[in-house]
Amino acid sequence: MNRIITIGRQFGSGGRELGKRLAQELGVPYYDREIMEEIAKRTSLAEGYVQQIMDQRPGYCYPITVGRTLHGGIANDYLLRQLATVYAEQTNTLREMAERSDCVIVGRCADCILKEMKPVRIFVYADMSFRLDRCSRKATEEEHLTMKQLERKIRAVDRARAKYYRYCTGQIWGDRANYDVCINTTNTDIRAAAHALAMMIKGEQA
C-alpha cells in the first residue's frame, strides 16, 4: 500500500509550504490545486464555481450521506445535489491519486476520505499573530487589507474549512483525535519541520 500523507491546516499557518517541502524531502508528488483542477474538469464546472459551492454549503452540518433527507426546499436541494457531485468527484480524484503512488495531499478532507489507506494525518496550526504576519508578508499588491480585515478573513476561511469538513465527514476539523501529528508552526522553521517529519515518516517505513 502506498504511503499517503494528508495535511489539514489553519489559514496562514504555513501548511501548504510545509506540504510542499515535505513532498520534496520524500521525493513524492504533491497535490493541492491539482485536485480542484481535476474536479472542475470532471464536473465541467469552472474552478471558481467549484470553490464557491464548497464555500456556500448549507449552514447546517450533517454528513453528506444524510443531509439530503433532512432538509427540503428547492434551493437547498439544488445546492445539495451540486455539493454531492463535487464531493463524489473529490473522493474519486483523491483515491486515484493515492492509488497511483506515495504522495502528499493538502486539504480536501483527504484524511477521512482515504482513511482505509491509513494515511499519516497531519494538522498544522499557529498563533493568530504569526498567521497575520505571514499573510501580510505574502499579500499581493492588489490586497490592501488592514490587520483587522485580514484577521476577519483568516477566521472566515477557517470557519468555512471547519464547516465543509464537518458537513462531509461528520467530524471536527482540527480535533487532535483525528490526526497523527499536530504541529504548531508559530516561530518555527518550516523547512526544518518538514525535514523532521520526513525523517519520522521514513523511520516508520524502515
Side-chain angles (χ1 to χ4, degrees), residues 170-193:
Q171 298 186 22
I172 299 174
W173 179 78
D175 184 345
R176 64 184 181 181
N178 295 329
Y179 306 95
D180 302 301
V181 179
C182 293
I183 179 169
N184 185 344
T185 52
T186 305
N187 302 321
T188 297
D189 184 329
I190 292 180
R191 185 190 298 271

Side-chain angles (χ1 to χ4, degrees), residues 5-22 30 104-107 111 120-128 130-131 134 154 158 161 173-176 178-191 193-194 197:
I5 298 93
T6 64
I7 297 182
R9 78 285 186 218
Q10 289 183 329
F11 185 66
S13 65
R16 178 172 285 131
E17 179 185 347
L18 180 69
K20 288 181 179 179
R21 292 190 181 281
L22 180 56
Y30 165 86
V104 173
I105 299 174
V106 173
D111 55 314
V120 176
R121 304 163 301 169
I122 299 171
F123 189 80
V124 185
Y125 65 101
D127 293 349
M128 180 57 73
F130 174 82
R131 294 196 279 161
R134 182 178 176 86
I154 289 172
D158 280 352
R161 288 177 178 174
W173 179 78
D175 184 345
R176 64 184 181 181
N178 295 329
Y179 306 95
D180 302 301
V181 179
C182 293
I183 179 169
N184 185 344
T185 52
T186 305
N187 302 321
T188 297
D189 184 329
I190 292 180
R191 185 190 298 271
L197 285 169

